[in-house]
Amino acid sequence: MSTEPLGWPERREPAARGNGVLAGSDFRQAVEMLPLVSIDLLLRDAAGRYLTGLRTNPPAQGAWFVPGGRIRKNETLRDALRRIACDELGLRVPEKAWKPRGVYEHFYGTNFAGEAGRSTHYVVLAYEAEVPLDISSLPQAQHRSYRWQPAEAIAADPGVHPYTQAYFKE
């Protein structure tokens, strides 16, 4: 067992069947019944600015938000960080670059399909890393555009989602 932050445990269970992704109807039911555990990526450039993207999908659609994603069943934190950075941004970030920033909760009155009255509850593990990154070549699936901003600007910008602002108001 490692002594790094949050333990970085070795995988103890067999890998999930398939890729750990639920069918749409099963995922909808899980969102109705359970909190989801996710990771938000607080990426900082050498100038101390942080990356946000304009969300294309619910539940934070249309707001500037940090990249992130859900942890899958039987996926270690190490593996989830690696996958989420790759899936969301096409990045390979060294494991030692990530520093835990805290645990947060996000509550939405809608779900991933934008269905009002179908709430979503996330328990979010925020991780920070300094990453050199050209935002002009980032994937557009989750965010339609990206920008670097100082923490103070993110905290004060009304177009930034309040949950992202909370990371920078501490």
Side-chain angles (χ1 to χ4, degrees):
M1 181 71 93
S2 172
T3 59
E4 291 188 51
L6 296 181
W8 295 115
E10 296 300 319
R11 186 183 303 271
R12 294 181 184 196
E13 298 180 39
R17 290 185 190 145
N19 60 4
V21 177
L22 293 172
S25 60
D26 291 337
F27 184 62
R28 182 175 268 105
Q29 184 175 10
V31 170
E32 287 287 319
M33 299 175 64
L34 304 166
L36 304 173
V37 182
S38 66
I39 293 174
D40 275 357
L41 308 175
L42 309 181
L43 300 174
R44 186 181 68 254
D45 69 6
R49 301 173 304 169
Y50 289 85
L51 181 70
T52 57
L54 191 56
R55 294 282 299 172
T56 59
N57 54 344
Q61 186 173 25
W64 291 92
F65 213 95
V66 294
R70 293 178 300 276
I71 298 172
R72 295 177 180 166
K73 173 81 173 168
N74 293 326
E75 185 175 45
T76 65
L77 289 174
R78 174 187 308 169
D79 291 344
L81 271 167
R82 183 180 304 122
R83 177 186 54 78
I84 292 166
C86 187
D87 288 356
E88 290 270 322
L89 302 166
L91 292 178
R92 301 228 182 272
V93 180
E95 179 182 319
K96 291 183 181 190
W98 294 111
K99 304 294 180 226
R101 273 281 299 271
V103 178
Y104 299 80
E105 285 188 296
H106 298 177
F107 296 91
Y108 298 93
T110 177
N111 65 9
F112 63 95
E115 298 169 330
R118 300 200 177 262
S119 67
T120 304
H121 173 197
Y122 285 97
V123 175
V124 183
L125 310 176
Y127 281 86
E128 183 171 342
E130 184 175 316
V131 178
L133 181 62
D134 175 12
I135 63 173
S136 66
S137 61
L138 293 178
Q140 304 285 306
Q142 299 291 323
H143 301 91
R144 67 176 169 252
S145 62
Y146 297 88
R147 65 185 182 186
W148 292 105
Q149 287 188 294
E152 304 79 35
I154 293 171
D157 184 340
V160 174
H161 196 282
Y163 290 140
T164 288
Q165 287 178 320
Y167 297 133
F168 303 102
K169 288 185 176 183
E170 297 175 0

